[in-house]
Amino acid sequence: MDISIDDILAELDRDTTAVDHSDPSSHLPIPSDGNTTMMNSSFDPSRMPGGKNRLHEDVTPQKDYSRLMTLWRNERCAPELLPYPSLLLSRMLRRVQEQMENIENISMGFYKNTISGDLKNSGVSYDKTNEKLPLLYMEAELERVKFLLRSYLRCRLSKIDKFMLYLKQLDYDETNVTPLNELLSEQEQVYHSRHFAISLKLLNSSILKHMPPELQAINDTEGSVSMIDEPEWNKFVFIHVKEPSDHANEDPLLEKNEFGKLCYTVTIHELNEDVELNIGGIYVMRYGVIKDLLRNDKVELI
Amino acid sequence: MGYYDIDDVLADSVEFPCKFQYFLPGLGYLEGNPGKPIEKNCRLDLPLWLARILAIVGGDEEGQEDEEALPFVELLRPEMFSPKVVNAIKAGASDLDLHTINAHFYSLAVKWITLFGDEELAGVVSEMVLERSLEMNGHASSVAVQAAGVEAQSSLIGSPFLITMDESEKQLYRLAHDSYKRTKKWIIQT
């Protein structure tokens, strides 16, 4: 019962924020058509698949942003390369593009002074500072989003560099669970293969060609030291156990412990020890132990 | 401990005392006199990357199958894991001059423990890590940042503890000190 009410409240909340969002924008000196196209374009993809998939029901720019924030934090803290959120990133990139055009249009409007003229006609009090402030906000916000995207992608690139051979090996491995094209975006795949080719060429022409043939492989795992750097699965990470999302009682992993609190139970294999991760708690835990929980979005790294 | 890890490469070149268990012709250059053979029971210092593999691989020249293949060399317990050092660690790990015992003490200890499954040493070393980490945190957290922006020199110059740290501890200390320093700087500036 409770949960269903929360759902309804959440729906209501979202509706009001959407209204709030559009309300001040009508007062602002923004060309109304530009604003509505932006709103529409951000809501459109959410509406269309919304019927089939519950996850897609709540696709809004705000949610996408906070989702990207979480992904960015996870990526920065996790020892391995996490799968590439292609849908989310394509949405974000499109929005950045659109917002850039939007800002461009508005600032063009300043030069022509057409909007202010329109506003004067429509009777809204015209103020120069009032006009600049939203533009400043929009530019600053755009920069924030762009910084996040850049930092995220750069972090991924540095991991691709680090695990170049490991990813290459994953590519050859047929039994592998996540194929490389799910793990990497198209551009990252191109980067990976080209960078691999370039560094292989460098190593080959400078050193490896002088070696005996059996020592020329750069991905030799038979020798005394494995040449393929795997991600450090046992790295300790700080995790925050998230509140379960709305369909909490469907989650089979969630249990009640003796204090009546909800928790996930994970097992550390090496010590043969069970650990209860309470909801809302912060733990320092081996990455390998919580990897599945992280993939299923039950915990986040901090 | 990756393949391209420079500290790992350096740690692997530390020499360990070994005893040869075979008569090996032609390998005299390990002893410094090329052309001559290596006698059985000859004691030699070998770098770890060589000693480790020779201590595992069995040199079964005579082709006897019944006998469990005796490895080429026997690794002798090096000075830095001798009872004397272990007792010194137990007595007071934070006062120990680890850097003079060996600059790569921890990574070598890890390698040694993986080779021999030495549980006692593992216990001693992990106790030592904890004890010395406390000390390190104390040193790392005492940051002297004067006014906004003006950075003081790294505090505690000549602090005796800092020159006793081994290489991995130095890295850890630098990281910890840096993050304390940056946090403090950020707090002061904003």
Side-chain angles (χ1 to χ4, degrees), chain B residues 164-182:
Chain B
T164 70
M165 295 192 301
D166 100 322
E167 290 300 318
S168 61
E169 281 180 322
K170 274 186 191 164
Q171 267 180 19
L172 185 59
Y173 171 77
R174 208 169 294 142
L175 268 177
H177 188 69
D178 254 17
S179 48
Y180 274 118
K181 197 164 76 186
R182 284 189 191 167

Side-chain angles (χ1 to χ4, degrees), chain A residues 255-287:
Chain A
E255 297 164 4
K256 270 205 164 88
N257 65 2
E258 69 249 51
F259 304 111
K261 281 183 185 157
L262 291 171
C263 63
Y264 302 103
T265 308
V266 292
T267 311
I268 305 171
H269 289 291
E270 284 144 52
L271 304 175
N272 216 352
E273 197 174 290
D274 282 353
V275 183
E276 286 172 349
L277 303 176
N278 282 328
I279 297 295
I282 289 175
Y283 298 85
V284 185
M285 190 56 71
R286 284 173 196 268
Y287 181 74

Side-chain angles (χ1 to χ4, degrees), chain B residues 6 8 21 25 44 55 74 77 84 90 134 156 165 167 173:
Chain B
I6 193 74
D8 195 42
Q21 315 201 21
L44 212 56
E74 187 192 344
R77 204 173 178 82
K84 202 175 81 182
K90 280 181 190 160
L134 281 178
L156 312 149
M165 295 192 301
E167 290 300 318
Y173 171 77

Side-chain angles (χ1 to χ4, degrees), chain A residues 203 218 224-227 229, chain B residues 1-4 8 12 52-53:
Chain A
L203 281 172
I218 58 154
S224 56
V225 181
S226 170
M227 295 179 86
D229 280 348
Chain B
M1 299 215 191
Y3 183 80
Y4 297 101
D8 195 42
D12 252 352
R52 181 175 44 199
I53 197 78

Side-chain angles (χ1 to χ4, degrees), chain A residues 183-195:
Chain A
L183 206 59
L184 303 178
S185 70
E186 275 171 41
Q187 294 95 322
E188 282 167 345
Q189 281 180 56
V190 171
Y191 173 80
H192 176 238
S193 57
R194 286 216 198 135
H195 188 220

Side-chain angles (χ1 to χ4, degrees), chain B residues 16-28:
Chain B
F16 275 60
C18 301
K19 193 170 81 180
F20 275 84
Q21 315 201 21
Y22 288 96
F23 172 80
L24 297 166
L27 283 179

Side-chain angles (χ1 to χ4, degrees), chain A residues 235-249:
Chain A
K235 190 187 170 196
F236 281 96
V237 288
F238 282 87
I239 59 167
H240 172 237
V241 186
K242 278 190 185 174
E243 300 283 329
S245 46
D246 40 357
H247 37 275
N249 37 8

Side-chain angles (χ1 to χ4, degrees), chain B residues 7 11 80 96-110 125 128-129 132 136 161-174:
Chain B
D7 282 308
M80 62 175 173
L96 195 69
D97 191 352
L98 208 54
H99 199 265
T100 49
I101 293 174
N102 199 298
H104 302 278
F105 185 86
Y106 286 123
S107 51
L108 289 176
V110 168
V125 171
M128 173 167 82
V129 171
R132 288 176 71 91
M136 266 164 57
F161 180 75
L162 297 188
I163 52 172
T164 70
M165 295 192 301
D166 100 322
E167 290 300 318
S168 61
E169 281 180 322
K170 274 186 191 164
Q171 267 180 19
L172 185 59
Y173 171 77
R174 208 169 294 142

